[in-house]
Amino acid sequence: YSCRHQETERSNSWVLLEGGGFLKKNRGSWTVHPLSESSCEVVYEVEIEFSGFVPSFMINPLIQRSLPRLVQGMIERAGH
């Protein structure tokens, strides 16, 4: 597959260009909004569209496992 990736000091975004297999659409971003000198808000947005029908009993466990890992990875990358 190939994605277009864009990164700035406070954001990271991607969009699937081709070859996603079972994914028809995959785009998203992380955006960091400073709140104070020692805190921030991180907004994660993702839009995914599958090529065919995928039942919720398959999608929900994936989301329940992957989102906490994404957040933990962001925390570790921030050095906390």
Side-chain angles (χ1 to χ4, degrees), residues 3-80:
C3 288
R4 181 176 59 238
H5 179 258
Q6 197 169 24
E7 190 171 330
T8 68
E9 183 179 331
R10 294 194 176 142
S11 68
N12 185 339
S13 63
W14 65 92
V15 62
L16 178 68
L17 298 175
E18 62 180 333
F22 67 96
L23 291 177
K24 185 175 184 179
K25 182 188 292 183
N26 180 353
R27 72 175 83 189
S29 65
W30 289 94
T31 306
V32 178
H33 302 281
L35 299 176
S36 71
E37 215 174 282
S38 62
S39 67
C40 66
E41 174 185 59
V42 178
V43 177
Y44 173 67
E45 297 178 283
V46 66
E47 180 181 3
I48 294 175
E49 185 177 330
F50 296 99
S51 297
F53 174 74
V54 179
S56 61
F57 75 86
M58 293 177 74
I59 295 171
N60 291 342
L62 176 65
I63 293 170
Q64 291 169 352
R65 284 190 312 266
S66 65
L67 286 179
R69 281 190 231 156
L70 286 171
V71 171
Q72 186 60 40
M74 186 67 154
I75 291 168
E76 289 171 8
R77 186 172 178 185
H80 295 283

